[in-house]
Amino acid sequence: MAYDSGRQTIVLYGGYTGFSRPPAETWELADRCVSPRIVEQPIDQFVGVDTPVAFVVEATPGLDCASPEALTYQWQRRNPIVADPSAAGAWIDLTDGGGFFHTRSAALLIARPTPGLATGYRCIIGAGCVCRSGHTAFTVTELVNFSVSCPADFNADGGVDFGDVESFFERWENGC
């Protein structure tokens, strides 16, 4: 028995039937449903005041799924009142609205991030097809987060200095 990494399946050759001659048969594991593979994880972000956050994930489907369009996405936010991330209720499925956009796509947009929303995010990516065994293959991104700079840090460089005064007046002149 061996694992064929090229086809991502288990192969068994031989066997025993109880007769004097061993059979020369090849068997493969029937359910080759493979979870999607994450090609690029979303990355943590440090943003300035009123700067939207975009978390993007790139994935490819498993072997039994025809195309990347078949993948499904569900972004989740860490529930700040549940301490254990593996406990029931530790993750909240996001829906569009309230500043969250594209919650069921590869790119989540948080229009007005605040420190209170910086609780941690992840995306569950489904294979977009049902395996022969009846289950749906999926994978989960790594935990990703953002932090919001000090409100006085208008240029989001991590400090408050003369550059922030220039950025403030630039925004003022542009009507923001």
Side-chain angles (χ1 to χ4, degrees), residues 34-42 56-60 71-78 85-86 90-93 106 120-127 136-144:
V34 179
S35 296
R37 186 174 65 86
I38 296 174
V39 177
E40 189 171 326
Q41 292 278 351
V56 179
V57 61
E58 184 180 342
T60 59
L71 295 175
T72 61
Y73 300 88
Q74 176 60 64
W75 284 92
Q76 297 181 320
R77 177 180 172 221
R78 185 85 165 73
S86 62
W91 293 94
I92 302 164
D93 285 350
Y121 295 82
R122 72 180 186 183
C123 186
I124 298 176
I125 305 165
T136 301
F138 69 92
T139 191
V140 180
T141 64
E142 295 173 0
L143 180 69
V144 65

Side-chain angles (χ1 to χ4, degrees), residues 96-161:
D96 286 355
F100 294 104
F101 299 92
H102 314 295
T103 58
R104 297 182 64 80
S105 74
L108 171 67
L109 177 67
I110 305 169
R112 293 197 172 264
T114 64
L117 292 176
T119 60
Y121 295 82
R122 72 180 186 183
C123 186
I124 298 176
I125 305 165
C129 60
V130 177
C131 306
R132 288 183 211 104
S133 62
H135 76 279
T136 301
F138 69 92
T139 191
V140 180
T141 64
E142 295 173 0
L143 180 69
V144 65
N145 209 347
F146 65 86
S147 54
V148 180
S149 66
C150 169
D153 185 12
F154 283 92
N155 62 4
D157 66 357
V160 178
D161 54 24

Side-chain angles (χ1 to χ4, degrees), residues 50 154 163-176:
D50 298 331
F154 283 92
D164 297 303
V165 174
E166 290 176 338
S167 293
F168 170 79
F169 282 113
E170 182 179 311
R171 286 184 180 189
W172 184 5
E173 289 172 356
N174 291 328
C176 299

Side-chain angles (χ1 to χ4, degrees), residues 32-55:
R32 297 184 314 157
C33 192
V34 179
S35 296
R37 186 174 65 86
I38 296 174
V39 177
E40 189 171 326
Q41 292 278 351
I43 57 172
D44 288 338
Q45 295 183 32
F46 181 78
V47 296
V49 177
D50 298 331
T51 305
V53 169
F55 292 131

